[in-house]
Amino acid sequence: MTAPTIVTGHVLYDSTSGKTSHVINAPTNQEGDQIVMFFLVDGATTISSTAFDSTLYSNITVDSTATASVFLRVATSSEPSTYTITVVDSERAVAIV
């Protein structure tokens, strides 16, 4: 089996203020591409998203100071231009898609 390759660019996201709803731009993609998002907030909270097909890692909390999740979706012919990630508590966040 051949190792996967990154065929398009990536998108970075950085929220400098606390929010419960984080809107992140989608990367350039084509139908069938696997889109992976790594999402991290600066507090112990719950992270969720209905924009992704699967959650690979869910709400991994480190020392009560950070929480991370990893999401996956397969691009369709009509991909949205943004993805929304929701957190229970208002938190700053970073992401790479």
Side-chain angles (χ1 to χ4, degrees):
M1 182 168 134
T2 306
T5 58
I6 297 175
V7 294
T8 60
H10 61 278
V11 173
L12 300 176
Y13 172 80
D14 181 12
S15 166
T16 57
S17 62
K19 301 177 185 181
T20 57
S21 182
H22 298 268
V23 179
I24 301 162
N25 291 330
T28 303
N29 59 69
Q30 61 186 11
E31 185 174 4
D33 284 350
Q34 292 186 342
I35 300 169
V36 179
M37 177 185 289
F38 299 89
F39 187 84
L40 178 73
V41 295
D42 68 345
T45 189
T46 301
I47 302 168
S48 62
S49 178
T50 57
F52 287 82
D53 304 324
S54 301
T55 303
L56 302 178
Y57 293 97
S58 180
N59 300 311
I60 300 166
T61 302
V62 179
D63 236 4
S64 299
T65 59
T67 306
S69 287
V70 180
F71 301 100
L72 171 71
R73 74 177 279 130
V74 177
T76 64
S77 60
S78 58
E79 273 302 291
S81 61
T82 61
Y83 305 120
T84 301
I85 305 294
T86 305
V87 294
V88 172
D89 301 310
S90 183
E91 302 288 355
R92 294 176 297 172
V94 293
I96 185 168
V97 185

